[in-house]
Amino acid sequence: MEQLARRLGLRTDPTIFFVSAGFTVVFVLALILFPEPIGDAFAVGRSWIVTNLGWFFVLGVNVWLGFLIWAAMSRHGHIRLGRKGERPVYSNLSWFTMLFAGGIGTVLMFWGVAEPISHFSNPPLPGVDPFTEDAAKDAISVAIYHLGLHTWTIFTLPGLAFAYFINRYDLPVRVSSVFYPLLGEGIHGPVGKAIDIASILGTLFGVAVSLGLGSSQIAAGLDALFGTGSGAWVQVAILAVLTAVAVGSIVAGLDKGVKLLSNLNIGMAVALMIFVLVCGSTLFLLRGVVETFGLYFGTLPRLAFWNDMLANENPTTDGWGWQGSWTVFYWAWTVTWSPFIGLFVARISRGRTVREFVFGVLMAPSLFTLIWFAIFGWQAMEFDGLGLAAREAMGDSAGAISSAVAESVPLAMFAFFEQFPFTQFIQGFAVVIVAIFFATSSDSASLVVDMLCTGKATPGPTHQRVFWGVAEGLVAAMLILLAGEAGLTALQQVITVVGLPIFVLVSMMIPSIIRGFAAEDIDHITIGTRPELEEFGHGPASEESTSGGLREQPSPAE
C-alpha cells in the first residue's frame, strides 16, 4: 500500500486511507444492490439499541455536559490549548461563524420550521393536546433541546480532547491521539488505526445524511420557485453543482475557502432571521424570544433526563416510544460526525484556553439556536393557528404549515415563506443559504478527513483533499440515484447502529482528558511541555518511543 500511495502522489497513512476508502466503496455498493435487506437488518439492530440502550445515550450526554462544565470551571480551565504565549489565530466572530457553519447550519435550516411544527401537531409528551398553547411551549422546548446545548455538548467533548492533545502536545491530528494516556505508543498500532478508520467512516456517512437532507430541501425550494421537480435526478444535479463549489473551497484551503464561505453564510442566515422578525409579528416574536429562555431552561432538567420509560406501558407504542425515533436517533447520528466537528473546531481554536473553548463552543451556537427556533418556530405556529380558539377563528386557513410538513418535511421552510411579502425572493434567498451551508459542511468534512489520514494539520496534496470532497458527493448521489428512499432509510438505520461504538469511544475521552490534566504542572500551565509517557502510568518510555514519530510531528502552527 505504501508503494501505491507513492505512485498516486499521496501524503497519508496508506493503511488508514486505503482501508477507509475500500470500506466506503464496498458498503455503498452493497447498500445500492441490497438496500432493503441491509435496511431490515440494521432496523433490527437500531430497534434493539434504542429499546435497551436508549437510556445510555440520554444519560451519557448529560454526563459529558457535566464533565465539560467541571473542566471549564476547575483550575484546569486556564490551560491554553497551544504553546506558551500563543493566542487565537481567528477573531471571535470568524471563530464563531466557522464552527457554526461547519456544524449544524444545514440542520437548522431544515428543521427550523419543521421540528417545532411536527411537535406542535404531534405532541411528544403525554397528556398534551395538539395545536394548543401547551403543545406550542413543549414544541419549542423540545426542538431547542435537540439542537441546542446537548447537541453542542456532543461536539465540544471530542473537540476539547483533540484541541488538548493535538494543539498542546503536537500529537498527530488523528482521533487515536486522544487516547495517548490510555494506549501510549499503541495509538500508532492496529488499535489506533482502527479508531481512526471508524472515525473516518462515521464522518463520511454522517455527513452524507446531512447532505441528503440539504439537497432534498434545495430541490424542494427550486421546485416551489421554478417547478423543476424534486426527484432523484434534480437532487443529483444539485449535489454535483454544490460538490464542485465545495471542491473549489477545499482547494482554496481553510483560511480562504472555508472562512470566506462561513462568514458569508452566517451573515445571510442572520439577515433572513431579521427579515422574519421584522416582517412577521415583531412584538409577539420579541416577547417569544424572551419567554423561550425561560421555557427552555425551565423544562431542560426534565427533557435532559426523560427517556420515555413508560412507553412499554402504552399498548399503542412499539416498545421504545416517541423518543427512540427522535432524541436517541439525534444523539446517535450526531455522535457519528462529532469527530469531524471536533477536529475542525480544535483546528480553528488553537491558542484558546480550556474555559474559553468550552463556554464558547457550548454557549455561542446554542444561544443562536435558541433565538433561531424562537423566531421561526413561534412565527410558524402562529401562522398555523396557535391555540384552538385561534384555529377556529382562522377557519380553512388554519393548518397550512402543519399540512405542508405532514406532506413533505423539506417543503416546510418554503411553505412558511409563502406567508411573507417578497415570497419568491425570500425563498430563493433561503435556497442560497442552504446551498452555502451545504458547501461549508462538505468542504469542512473533507479537510478534516484529510487531516485524519495524514495525521497533520497542514493540508495534504490538492488531489488528495479533492478525493474526499468528491467521495462525499458521490456517496450521497449514488444513494439518491440508485437506491432511492430505501437507500437513505437504510443509511439512517446504519448510522444509529454505528453511533453506539462511537458513542462509547467518545465517552472514553473523559478518562483520557482527566489523566492528561493530572499530568499538568498547574503552576506552569502555559509552557506546554508534553508529559512523559510514564506520567500516564505506562512505565518508562523507551528510547524509540521518545525519539520517534510523536516528537517529530510538525505542529499545526508550522
Side-chain angles (χ1 to χ4, degrees), residues 289-305:
V289 170
V290 175
E291 188 163 335
T292 298
F293 276 90
L295 288 173
Y296 173 57
F297 289 107
T299 58
L300 186 60
R302 179 188 181 189
L303 293 176
F305 291 95

Side-chain angles (χ1 to χ4, degrees), residues 292-359:
T292 298
F293 276 90
L295 288 173
Y296 173 57
F297 289 107
T299 58
L300 186 60
R302 179 188 181 189
L303 293 176
F305 291 95
W306 175 53
N307 62 96
D308 231 0
M309 62 172 288
L310 297 179
N312 288 331
E313 307 302 320
N314 186 346
T316 63
T317 68
D318 54 6
W320 40 278
W322 175 93
Q323 200 184 41
S325 59
W326 281 91
T327 307
V328 175
F329 173 71
Y330 262 138
W331 295 169
W333 176 21
T334 303
V335 81
T336 58
W337 44 297
S338 64
F340 144 51
I341 299 295
L343 273 172
F344 178 73
V345 171
R347 170 65 178 84
I348 64 176
S349 302
R350 186 179 179 92
R352 298 185 181 273
T353 65
V354 169
R355 183 168 301 156
E356 183 181 12
F357 179 91
V358 169
F359 286 131

Side-chain angles (χ1 to χ4, degrees), residues 27-36 232 236 475-491:
F27 184 79
V28 170
L29 289 176
L31 189 60
I32 290 170
L33 296 174
F34 313 106
E36 293 185 3
V236 169
V475 167
M478 286 189 293
L479 287 168
I480 292 172
L481 182 61
L482 300 178
E485 184 62 30
L488 288 175
T489 300
L491 181 58

Side-chain angles (χ1 to χ4, degrees), residues 71-81 168 351-356 517 522 525-526:
M73 297 302 295
S74 71
R75 59 178 182 165
H76 305 292
H78 295 290
I79 296 175
R80 190 165 295 281
L81 303 173
R168 187 159 173 75
R352 298 185 181 273
T353 65
V354 169
R355 183 168 301 156
E356 183 181 12
F517 283 173
I522 298 299
I525 56 176
T526 60

